[in-house]
Structures are given as C-alpha cells and as structure tokens.
Amino acid sequence: MKLLFAATLLAAGLNATAQNIIPFNSSRWSISGKEAVTDTFNGKPCLKMVNGAALLKDAGFTNGVIEFDMAVAKARYFPGIAFRMQDSMNGEAFYVRPHQSGNPDAMQYYPEYNGAGGWQLYYGDGFGNPHAIPLERWVHVKFLIKDTAAEVYFDDEKQPVLFIKKLYRPVQSGMIALTNEWDAPVFYANFSYTATNNVTLQSKPKPAGPLPVNVLTRWQVSAPFDEALLAGKPSLADIPVNNPGWQTVVADERGVVNLDQLAALGRGKNTVFAKLVIHSDKQAFKKLSFGFSDRALVYFNGKLLYAGHDEFI
C-alpha cells in the first residue's frame, strides 16, 4: 500500500531579546527560483517570488516569534513558510490557499517528512481554519511558536487565525524558509524573527481522548519497493519483494499512521507493506474501515481483497 495510507500576550510573553531583522539583500539568505527578485508592491520594497524559496540557513530557530508581511494574488497556489527545518525535506510547514479564502482549507499546517507533506492526513481542527485570506494587499503575519504548539496571527487581530495545537515533528533547532512553489507571484517584506523560549500562547489544547478499542494502532511496515511488482498479483506468494526487515509503527492520537516518517519516496521505491496479525478463535465476519491517498491494496491471509485508486488531480 502507498506510503500515505493509512499577540495580545506578546509583550508579557517575551523578554527583551532583540529581533533579528533580515533584509532580503542580506548574504544570510539563499534565494532561488524561477523568479525571486527585489520589487515594490503597493509602495513597499519587497521580495517577489515565483516558483522559488528564500532560505535562512543559519536561523537556528526552535522557539520564539517569526513575523513578516505577505501579499498574495487571487490565484490557485500555496505560498507560505517552513521552520525548524532540518534540511530541504524535513521541517514544519504552513501555507495559505488564496483560492479557498473563507473555506475550511483556507490555510494549513503540516509536518514534512522526507520530502512529503502528507497534507491529506493533517486536516481539520488544529491544522486549518476557515478564515478570510486578504488578497492583493499587505497582510502582517506573526507566528508564536513554543515547544509543541504554535499560533498564527494576521494583521492586528487579537485572536489567532490558527492555533496549531500540536507540532508533530521533534522539537529541535532548524532553518527558516519562505516558500512558493507555484507560478503565481507572492510578495514578502519586513521579515524578522526572535529566538526565545519566553513565549506565551493564549490558546490551550484540549487533552486527546482515548481511541476506540477497535482502532488498529500498531503496524509492522516493510522497506519501500516498486509498486510495479504488485501488478497482476492476487496472491502475496506471487510477489517477488525482498524485505530485509520490518519496522514497528504506532498510530498517533488520532489513529493515523504517516508512513512517510520511515523513508523517502523515490523512483522504484514508492510502496510499502503494512501488516498486522489478527487472532480469532472462530470464523467471523468483521467490518474494516480505512482511508488512504492515491492507491491501496488490502490482502487477507495472503489473498487480495481490495484494490483502490483515489488520486488527487
């Protein structure tokens, strides 16, 4: 199966740590892309970015405040920011969807593992919010980040537009990047950050309740292999997959398993087996409910029971 299967308090919350204001002509930035140039938008000097990124390698950022101004077009694209980046494929990410302004998916947080966002797995409360995304004007964006949670503010609003109640990656220092991988332009200005542990969030997460006892939470997962090996094979015995070992993976508090944490997708390595043994003292019919992204095969006692295709296009 596929890898994706299954601030009002700011003044009181921060000490006198100086802001690190980083102009975009600073040598600290590594800026690349189809178009990433200094420009002026609505009278403000800025960085115009099309299909590119501005990376602050030496940020060393774990906790604190990140602020910048952003202006987005009325277009279908996903400009945003990544922080606590360990490399170009691993970090925490947030972006807006201007074309979904006011809808439940107007914005989104997700953890990136091994180059895969897995946005389908991180949806709803704590990941997105149906807030209006201002278009064709400057919006001041502020992040308050503390250990395993964060808040996002727009302009001078007193309440966060999004409370990220759980940051899923380990709490560790990393890089910061402003991102836009699409062809519509985004404008960034007045970027600054303050690295400090003295941050207070006004939002408080509710404790997660226990999962139902019938939720499957513990899986054995194979090494990645080529999906082509499964073609036309209704029996596991006919599949020539050499698995050197199995890793144990436990579902999160939502019952979700993100298998991208284990390995990066690649050419000839885009599929894994996830297995478990179910013990029963008699024959019986049981209902199995599951979700997946793109493609999934379900085998029982070595025989193919289900094949699903649900690609996002």
Side-chain angles (χ1 to χ4, degrees):
M1 55 188 69
K2 284 281 292 183
L3 278 174
L4 285 178
F5 178 78
T8 306
L9 301 177
L10 178 59
L14 294 176
N15 59 20
T17 304
Q19 282 188 323
N20 289 286
I21 299 174
I22 318 296
F24 289 112
N25 60 3
S26 169
S27 60
R28 293 181 62 188
W29 289 104
S30 176
I31 300 175
S32 60
K34 180 178 179 180
E35 184 178 358
V37 296
T38 56
D39 203 341
T40 299
F41 181 81
N42 283 0
K44 184 178 293 188
C46 61
L47 174 69
K48 177 184 179 182
M49 186 187 301
V50 175
N51 198 355
L55 176 65
L56 198 62
K57 272 190 171 183
D58 63 352
F61 183 86
T62 307
N63 292 326
V65 182
I66 301 173
E67 298 186 64
F68 55 90
D69 296 329
M70 179 172 69
V72 299
K74 188 178 181 180
R76 182 183 181 277
Y77 69 136
F78 314 90
I81 183 173
F83 55 93
R84 292 182 180 171
M85 296 171 62
Q86 302 306 296
D87 52 43
S88 63
M89 302 176 70
N90 293 277
E92 308 283 15
F94 169 88
Y95 61 86
V96 297
R97 295 183 176 97
H99 57 294
Q100 296 291 353
S101 178
N103 292 331
D105 51 353
M107 61 187 70
Q108 183 158 18
Y109 154 74
Y110 66 83
E112 183 172 14
Y113 298 103
N114 292 307
W119 55 268
Q120 305 96 320
L121 301 180
Y122 303 95
Y123 185 85
D125 183 36
F127 305 109
N129 193 31
H131 195 279
I133 306 298
L135 304 175
E136 306 291 351
R137 75 161 175 87
W138 287 110
V139 181
H140 187 69
V141 183
K142 179 189 295 181
F143 283 79
L144 301 183
I145 301 164
K146 176 66 173 178
D147 297 336
T148 60
E151 291 174 333
V152 186
Y153 293 82
F154 284 175
D155 292 330
D156 57 355
E157 296 185 34
K158 302 305 181 183
Q159 298 295 319
V161 298
L162 178 63
F163 172 43
I164 304 171
K165 58 185 179 181
K166 180 177 179 179
L167 295 167
Y168 277 77
R169 291 188 52 86
V171 178
Q172 54 191 151
S173 172
M175 302 178 286
I176 299 173
L178 301 172
T179 61
N180 176 28
E181 298 178 354
W182 295 74
D183 287 334
V186 62
F187 302 89
Y188 291 108
N190 297 330
F191 175 89
S192 68
Y193 75 98
T194 303
T196 176
N197 290 323
N198 192 12
V199 180
T200 301
L201 306 182
Q202 62 173 302
S203 308
K204 304 298 179 185
K206 297 178 181 178
L211 289 170
V213 294
N214 61 344
V215 173
L216 304 174
T217 60
R218 195 174 186 87
W219 298 84
Q220 296 292 307
V221 181
S222 75
F225 59 90
D226 193 341
E227 182 186 27
L229 296 174
L230 304 177
K233 304 292 195 307
S235 172
L236 288 177
D238 299 328
I239 300 172
V241 175
N242 178 25
N243 291 303
W246 296 81
Q247 297 186 63
T248 299
V249 182
V250 179
D252 65 21
E253 76 286 351
R254 303 168 297 148
V256 173
V257 176
N258 184 349
L259 300 178
D260 285 315
Q261 299 175 70
L262 305 182
L265 290 170
R267 193 174 187 87
K269 292 185 177 183
N270 64 350
T271 306
V272 298
F273 286 128
K275 71 175 181 179
L276 76 163
V277 177
I278 300 174
H279 298 279
S280 178
D281 57 3
K282 62 181 180 180
Q283 291 186 344
F285 288 96
K286 298 292 183 180
K287 182 179 179 179
L288 174 65
S289 299
F290 61 95
F292 66 92
S293 174
D294 290 7
R295 298 180 295 281
L297 302 175
V298 179
Y299 294 82
F300 181 72
N301 286 342
K303 301 299 182 182
L304 181 64
L305 287 185
Y306 172 88
H309 288 244
D310 192 17
E311 288 90 350
F312 176 82
I313 300 175

